[in-house]
PDB file of all heavy atoms in Angstrom:
ATOM      1  N   CYS R1514      23.788  21.534 -10.116  1.00 91.00           N
ATOM      2  CA  CYS R1514      24.835  20.861 -10.883  1.00 91.00           C
ATOM      3  C   CYS R1514      26.083  21.721 -11.035  1.00 91.00           C
ATOM      4  O   CYS R1514      27.205  21.205 -11.024  1.00 91.00           O
ATOM      5  CB  CYS R1514      24.307  20.481 -12.265  1.00 91.00           C
ATOM      6  SG  CYS R1514      23.053  19.178 -12.251  1.00 91.00           S
ATOM      7  N   THR R1515      25.894  23.015 -11.216  1.00 87.00           N
ATOM      8  CA  THR R1515      27.032  23.882 -11.525  1.00 87.00           C
ATOM      9  C   THR R1515      27.644  24.586 -10.323  1.00 87.00           C
ATOM     10  O   THR R1515      28.847  24.850 -10.300  1.00 87.00           O
ATOM     11  CB  THR R1515      26.619  24.953 -12.550  1.00 87.00           C
ATOM     12  OG1 THR R1515      25.532  25.723 -12.025  1.00 87.00           O
ATOM     13  CG2 THR R1515      26.190  24.302 -13.867  1.00 87.00           C
ATOM     14  N   ARG R1516      26.792  24.898  -9.325  1.00 85.00           N
ATOM     15  CA  ARG R1516      27.285  25.701  -8.202  1.00 85.00           C
ATOM     16  C   ARG R1516      27.058  25.073  -6.835  1.00 85.00           C
ATOM     17  O   ARG R1516      27.527  25.612  -5.836  1.00 85.00           O
ATOM     18  CB  ARG R1516      26.629  27.086  -8.227  1.00 85.00           C
ATOM     19  CG  ARG R1516      26.832  27.861  -9.521  1.00 85.00           C
ATOM     20  CD  ARG R1516      28.309  28.153  -9.787  1.00 85.00           C
ATOM     21  NE  ARG R1516      28.863  29.037  -8.773  1.00 85.00           N
ATOM     22  CZ  ARG R1516      28.809  30.366  -8.822  1.00 85.00           C
ATOM     23  NH1 ARG R1516      28.217  30.972  -9.857  1.00 85.00           N
ATOM     24  NH2 ARG R1516      29.351  31.095  -7.886  1.00 85.00           N
ATOM     25  N   GLY R1517      26.312  23.974  -6.761  1.00 87.00           N
ATOM     26  CA  GLY R1517      26.111  23.311  -5.479  1.00 87.00           C
ATOM     27  C   GLY R1517      24.845  23.751  -4.763  1.00 87.00           C
ATOM     28  O   GLY R1517      24.105  24.622  -5.221  1.00 87.00           O
ATOM     29  N   TRP R1518      24.617  23.153  -3.603  1.00 83.00           N
ATOM     30  CA  TRP R1518      23.348  23.331  -2.906  1.00 83.00           C
ATOM     31  C   TRP R1518      23.132  24.745  -2.382  1.00 83.00           C
ATOM     32  O   TRP R1518      21.998  25.210  -2.269  1.00 83.00           O
ATOM     33  CB  TRP R1518      23.218  22.323  -1.769  1.00 83.00           C
ATOM     34  CG  TRP R1518      24.206  22.490  -0.638  1.00 83.00           C
ATOM     35  CD1 TRP R1518      25.406  21.881  -0.516  1.00 83.00           C
ATOM     36  CD2 TRP R1518      24.046  23.312   0.518  1.00 83.00           C
ATOM     37  NE1 TRP R1518      26.031  22.274   0.646  1.00 83.00           N
ATOM     38  CE2 TRP R1518      25.215  23.143   1.308  1.00 83.00           C
ATOM     39  CE3 TRP R1518      23.045  24.163   0.981  1.00 83.00           C
ATOM     40  CZ2 TRP R1518      25.394  23.805   2.527  1.00 83.00           C
ATOM     41  CZ3 TRP R1518      23.224  24.818   2.188  1.00 83.00           C
ATOM     42  CH2 TRP R1518      24.388  24.632   2.952  1.00 83.00           C
ATOM     43  N   ARG R1519      24.197  25.461  -2.074  1.00 82.00           N
ATOM     44  CA  ARG R1519      24.016  26.826  -1.560  1.00 82.00           C
ATOM     45  C   ARG R1519      23.354  27.724  -2.606  1.00 82.00           C
ATOM     46  O   ARG R1519      22.560  28.600  -2.267  1.00 82.00           O
ATOM     47  CB  ARG R1519      25.359  27.417  -1.135  1.00 82.00           C
ATOM     48  CG  ARG R1519      25.989  26.733   0.066  1.00 82.00           C
ATOM     49  CD  ARG R1519      27.277  27.434   0.476  1.00 82.00           C
ATOM     50  NE  ARG R1519      27.963  26.689   1.524  1.00 82.00           N
ATOM     51  CZ  ARG R1519      27.678  26.783   2.822  1.00 82.00           C
ATOM     52  NH1 ARG R1519      26.722  27.605   3.224  1.00 82.00           N
ATOM     53  NH2 ARG R1519      28.345  26.073   3.715  1.00 82.00           N
ATOM     54  N   GLN R1520      23.696  27.530  -3.872  1.00 81.00           N
ATOM     55  CA  GLN R1520      23.115  28.328  -4.940  1.00 81.00           C
ATOM     56  C   GLN R1520      21.727  27.836  -5.339  1.00 81.00           C
ATOM     57  O   GLN R1520      20.882  28.625  -5.786  1.00 81.00           O
ATOM     58  CB  GLN R1520      24.037  28.305  -6.165  1.00 81.00           C
ATOM     59  CG  GLN R1520      25.365  28.997  -5.966  1.00 81.00           C
ATOM     60  CD  GLN R1520      25.218  30.510  -5.893  1.00 81.00           C
ATOM     61  OE1 GLN R1520      24.369  31.094  -6.564  1.00 81.00           O
ATOM     62  NE2 GLN R1520      26.029  31.145  -5.075  1.00 81.00           N
ATOM     63  N   SER R1521      21.480  26.541  -5.189  1.00 89.00           N
ATOM     64  CA  SER R1521      20.202  25.978  -5.648  1.00 89.00           C
ATOM     65  C   SER R1521      19.080  26.125  -4.630  1.00 89.00           C
ATOM     66  O   SER R1521      17.898  26.162  -5.004  1.00 89.00           O
ATOM     67  CB  SER R1521      20.374  24.491  -5.986  1.00 89.00           C
ATOM     68  OG  SER R1521      20.639  23.728  -4.814  1.00 89.00           O
ATOM     69  N   THR R1522      19.412  26.223  -3.358  1.00 91.00           N
ATOM     70  CA  THR R1522      18.397  26.219  -2.308  1.00 91.00           C
ATOM     71  C   THR R1522      17.322  27.299  -2.474  1.00 91.00           C
ATOM     72  O   THR R1522      16.129  26.998  -2.368  1.00 91.00           O
ATOM     73  CB  THR R1522      19.069  26.339  -0.929  1.00 91.00           C
ATOM     74  OG1 THR R1522      19.845  25.162  -0.685  1.00 91.00           O
ATOM     75  CG2 THR R1522      18.020  26.464   0.179  1.00 91.00           C
ATOM     76  N   PRO R1523      17.665  28.567  -2.731  1.00 90.00           N
ATOM     77  CA  PRO R1523      16.607  29.578  -2.877  1.00 90.00           C
ATOM     78  C   PRO R1523      15.640  29.260  -4.018  1.00 90.00           C
ATOM     79  O   PRO R1523      14.447  29.535  -3.913  1.00 90.00           O
ATOM     80  CB  PRO R1523      17.378  30.872  -3.154  1.00 90.00           C
ATOM     81  CG  PRO R1523      18.749  30.628  -2.623  1.00 90.00           C
ATOM     82  CD  PRO R1523      19.011  29.177  -2.830  1.00 90.00           C
ATOM     83  N   HIS R1524      16.142  28.661  -5.080  1.00 91.00           N
ATOM     84  CA  HIS R1524      15.292  28.345  -6.224  1.00 91.00           C
ATOM     85  C   HIS R1524      14.363  27.175  -5.916  1.00 91.00           C
ATOM     86  O   HIS R1524      13.199  27.175  -6.321  1.00 91.00           O
ATOM     87  CB  HIS R1524      16.154  28.042  -7.441  1.00 91.00           C
ATOM     88  CG  HIS R1524      17.089  29.159  -7.800  1.00 91.00           C
ATOM     89  ND1 HIS R1524      16.646  30.364  -8.298  1.00 91.00           N
ATOM     90  CD2 HIS R1524      18.437  29.275  -7.704  1.00 91.00           C
ATOM     91  CE1 HIS R1524      17.680  31.154  -8.515  1.00 91.00           C
ATOM     92  NE2 HIS R1524      18.768  30.523  -8.148  1.00 91.00           N
ATOM     93  N   PHE R1525      14.876  26.165  -5.198  1.00 94.00           N
ATOM     94  CA  PHE R1525      14.009  25.063  -4.787  1.00 94.00           C
ATOM     95  C   PHE R1525      12.917  25.558  -3.832  1.00 94.00           C
ATOM     96  O   PHE R1525      11.766  25.118  -3.908  1.00 94.00           O
ATOM     97  CB  PHE R1525      14.824  23.950  -4.113  1.00 94.00           C
ATOM     98  CG  PHE R1525      15.508  23.017  -5.084  1.00 94.00           C
ATOM     99  CD1 PHE R1525      16.876  22.818  -5.020  1.00 94.00           C
ATOM    100  CD2 PHE R1525      14.793  22.351  -6.062  1.00 94.00           C
ATOM    101  CE1 PHE R1525      17.522  21.966  -5.915  1.00 94.00           C
ATOM    102  CE2 PHE R1525      15.423  21.495  -6.959  1.00 94.00           C
ATOM    103  CZ  PHE R1525      16.792  21.295  -6.884  1.00 94.00           C
ATOM    104  N   ARG R1526      13.281  26.463  -2.952  1.00 94.00           N
ATOM    105  CA  ARG R1526      12.282  27.013  -2.031  1.00 94.00           C
ATOM    106  C   ARG R1526      11.202  27.788  -2.794  1.00 94.00           C
ATOM    107  O   ARG R1526      10.017  27.684  -2.474  1.00 94.00           O
ATOM    108  CB  ARG R1526      12.959  27.917  -1.008  1.00 94.00           C
ATOM    109  CG  ARG R1526      13.719  27.148   0.071  1.00 94.00           C
ATOM    110  CD  ARG R1526      14.393  28.095   1.035  1.00 94.00           C
ATOM    111  NE  ARG R1526      15.047  27.376   2.117  1.00 94.00           N
ATOM    112  CZ  ARG R1526      16.027  27.867   2.859  1.00 94.00           C
ATOM    113  NH1 ARG R1526      16.459  29.094   2.638  1.00 94.00           N
ATOM    114  NH2 ARG R1526      16.558  27.147   3.827  1.00 94.00           N
ATOM    115  N   MET R1527      11.642  28.566  -3.767  1.00 94.00           N
ATOM    116  CA  MET R1527      10.678  29.314  -4.566  1.00 94.00           C
ATOM    117  C   MET R1527       9.775  28.365  -5.337  1.00 94.00           C
ATOM    118  O   MET R1527       8.554  28.574  -5.423  1.00 94.00           O
ATOM    119  CB  MET R1527      11.413  30.255  -5.522  1.00 94.00           C
ATOM    120  CG  MET R1527      10.503  31.147  -6.343  1.00 94.00           C
ATOM    121  SD  MET R1527       9.445  32.230  -5.358  1.00 94.00           S
ATOM    122  CE  MET R1527      10.683  33.239  -4.529  1.00 94.00           C
ATOM    123  N   ALA R1528      10.338  27.303  -5.910  1.00 95.00           N
ATOM    124  CA  ALA R1528       9.534  26.322  -6.633  1.00 95.00           C
ATOM    125  C   ALA R1528       8.503  25.684  -5.712  1.00 95.00           C
ATOM    126  O   ALA R1528       7.333  25.515  -6.080  1.00 95.00           O
ATOM    127  CB  ALA R1528      10.445  25.251  -7.234  1.00 95.00           C
ATOM    128  N   ALA R1529       8.931  25.316  -4.493  1.00 96.00           N
ATOM    129  CA  ALA R1529       8.000  24.711  -3.537  1.00 96.00           C
ATOM    130  C   ALA R1529       6.867  25.660  -3.196  1.00 96.00           C
ATOM    131  O   ALA R1529       5.707  25.244  -3.033  1.00 96.00           O
ATOM    132  CB  ALA R1529       8.753  24.299  -2.268  1.00 96.00           C
ATOM    133  N   ARG R1530       7.169  26.944  -3.115  1.00 97.00           N
ATOM    134  CA  ARG R1530       6.136  27.934  -2.803  1.00 97.00           C
ATOM    135  C   ARG R1530       5.107  28.017  -3.920  1.00 97.00           C
ATOM    136  O   ARG R1530       3.908  28.041  -3.680  1.00 97.00           O
ATOM    137  CB  ARG R1530       6.781  29.298  -2.569  1.00 97.00           C
ATOM    138  CG  ARG R1530       5.801  30.377  -2.125  1.00 97.00           C
ATOM    139  CD  ARG R1530       6.508  31.710  -1.938  1.00 97.00           C
ATOM    140  NE  ARG R1530       7.646  31.594  -1.024  1.00 97.00           N
ATOM    141  CZ  ARG R1530       8.530  32.556  -0.807  1.00 97.00           C
ATOM    142  NH1 ARG R1530       8.416  33.709  -1.459  1.00 97.00           N
ATOM    143  NH2 ARG R1530       9.516  32.387   0.035  1.00 97.00           N
ATOM    144  N   TYR R1531       5.591  28.048  -5.173  1.00 97.00           N
ATOM    145  CA  TYR R1531       4.657  28.118  -6.292  1.00 97.00           C
ATOM    146  C   TYR R1531       3.818  26.851  -6.413  1.00 97.00           C
ATOM    147  O   TYR R1531       2.622  26.911  -6.709  1.00 97.00           O
ATOM    148  CB  TYR R1531       5.415  28.370  -7.599  1.00 97.00           C
ATOM    149  CG  TYR R1531       5.896  29.790  -7.753  1.00 97.00           C
ATOM    150  CD1 TYR R1531       7.234  30.075  -8.026  1.00 97.00           C
ATOM    151  CD2 TYR R1531       5.014  30.859  -7.622  1.00 97.00           C
ATOM    152  CE1 TYR R1531       7.669  31.380  -8.162  1.00 97.00           C
ATOM    153  CE2 TYR R1531       5.455  32.169  -7.754  1.00 97.00           C
ATOM    154  CZ  TYR R1531       6.781  32.414  -8.024  1.00 97.00           C
ATOM    155  OH  TYR R1531       7.216  33.717  -8.158  1.00 97.00           O
ATOM    156  N   VAL R1532       4.443  25.689  -6.201  1.00 97.00           N
ATOM    157  CA  VAL R1532       3.690  24.433  -6.242  1.00 97.00           C
ATOM    158  C   VAL R1532       2.611  24.433  -5.173  1.00 97.00           C
ATOM    159  O   VAL R1532       1.465  24.042  -5.411  1.00 97.00           O
ATOM    160  CB  VAL R1532       4.634  23.226  -6.074  1.00 97.00           C
ATOM    161  CG1 VAL R1532       3.833  21.947  -5.883  1.00 97.00           C
ATOM    162  CG2 VAL R1532       5.557  23.085  -7.270  1.00 97.00           C
ATOM    163  N   SER R1533       2.970  24.872  -3.979  1.00 97.00           N
ATOM    164  CA  SER R1533       1.996  24.922  -2.880  1.00 97.00           C
ATOM    165  C   SER R1533       0.837  25.856  -3.219  1.00 97.00           C
ATOM    166  O   SER R1533      -0.334  25.539  -2.947  1.00 97.00           O
ATOM    167  CB  SER R1533       2.689  25.382  -1.593  1.00 97.00           C
ATOM    168  OG  SER R1533       1.775  25.442  -0.522  1.00 97.00           O
ATOM    169  N   GLN R1534       1.132  27.001  -3.825  1.00 97.00           N
ATOM    170  CA  GLN R1534       0.077  27.947  -4.184  1.00 97.00           C
ATOM    171  C   GLN R1534      -0.851  27.363  -5.241  1.00 97.00           C
ATOM    172  O   GLN R1534      -2.078  27.509  -5.160  1.00 97.00           O
ATOM    173  CB  GLN R1534       0.703  29.251  -4.674  1.00 97.00           C
ATOM    174  CG  GLN R1534       1.385  30.052  -3.575  1.00 97.00           C
ATOM    175  CD  GLN R1534       2.194  31.223  -4.115  1.00 97.00           C
ATOM    176  OE1 GLN R1534       2.396  31.351  -5.328  1.00 97.00           O
ATOM    177  NE2 GLN R1534       2.666  32.074  -3.222  1.00 97.00           N
ATOM    178  N   ALA R1535      -0.276  26.696  -6.248  1.00 97.00           N
ATOM    179  CA  ALA R1535      -1.100  26.082  -7.287  1.00 97.00           C
ATOM    180  C   ALA R1535      -1.937  24.948  -6.714  1.00 97.00           C
ATOM    181  O   ALA R1535      -3.120  24.788  -7.063  1.00 97.00           O
ATOM    182  CB  ALA R1535      -0.203  25.560  -8.415  1.00 97.00           C
ATOM    183  N   ASN R1536      -1.341  24.171  -5.832  1.00 97.00           N
ATOM    184  CA  ASN R1536      -2.047  23.068  -5.194  1.00 97.00           C
ATOM    185  C   ASN R1536      -3.227  23.583  -4.369  1.00 97.00           C
ATOM    186  O   ASN R1536      -4.338  23.042  -4.432  1.00 97.00           O
ATOM    187  CB  ASN R1536      -1.081  22.274  -4.316  1.00 97.00           C
ATOM    188  CG  ASN R1536      -1.741  21.119  -3.607  1.00 97.00           C
ATOM    189  OD1 ASN R1536      -2.351  20.267  -4.227  1.00 97.00           O
ATOM    190  ND2 ASN R1536      -1.599  21.076  -2.287  1.00 97.00           N
ATOM    191  N   THR R1537      -3.007  24.637  -3.612  1.00 97.00           N
ATOM    192  CA  THR R1537      -4.072  25.214  -2.791  1.00 97.00           C
ATOM    193  C   THR R1537      -5.200  25.760  -3.666  1.00 97.00           C
ATOM    194  O   THR R1537      -6.388  25.567  -3.374  1.00 97.00           O
ATOM    195  CB  THR R1537      -3.513  26.332  -1.901  1.00 97.00           C
ATOM    196  OG1 THR R1537      -2.523  25.784  -1.022  1.00 97.00           O
ATOM    197  CG2 THR R1537      -4.608  26.988  -1.085  1.00 97.00           C
ATOM    198  N   ALA R1538      -4.825  26.449  -4.756  1.00 97.00           N
ATOM    199  CA  ALA R1538      -5.833  27.006  -5.653  1.00 97.00           C
ATOM    200  C   ALA R1538      -6.691  25.905  -6.262  1.00 97.00           C
ATOM    201  O   ALA R1538      -7.923  26.046  -6.367  1.00 97.00           O
ATOM    202  CB  ALA R1538      -5.158  27.823  -6.753  1.00 97.00           C
ATOM    203  N   TYR R1539      -6.057  24.799  -6.660  1.00 97.00           N
ATOM    204  CA  TYR R1539      -6.815  23.702  -7.266  1.00 97.00           C
ATOM    205  C   TYR R1539      -7.740  23.047  -6.238  1.00 97.00           C
ATOM    206  O   TYR R1539      -8.914  22.780  -6.520  1.00 97.00           O
ATOM    207  CB  TYR R1539      -5.867  22.651  -7.855  1.00 97.00           C
ATOM    208  CG  TYR R1539      -6.616  21.524  -8.530  1.00 97.00           C
ATOM    209  CD1 TYR R1539      -7.054  21.659  -9.842  1.00 97.00           C
ATOM    210  CD2 TYR R1539      -6.907  20.344  -7.852  1.00 97.00           C
ATOM    211  CE1 TYR R1539      -7.759  20.644 -10.466  1.00 97.00           C
ATOM    212  CE2 TYR R1539      -7.614  19.321  -8.464  1.00 97.00           C
ATOM    213  CZ  TYR R1539      -8.035  19.478  -9.775  1.00 97.00           C
ATOM    214  OH  TYR R1539      -8.747  18.469 -10.379  1.00 97.00           O
TER     215      TYR R1539
END
Side-chain angles (χ1 to χ4, degrees):
C1514 291
T1515 58
R1516 303 298 295 274
W1518 66 267
R1519 293 184 187 276
Q1520 293 289 325
S1521 67
T1522 294
H1524 303 291
F1525 279 124
R1526 285 179 176 159
M1527 184 59 63
R1530 185 181 306 172
Y1531 285 127
V1532 170
S1533 180
Q1534 290 171 351
N1536 179 55
T1537 299
Y1539 182 84

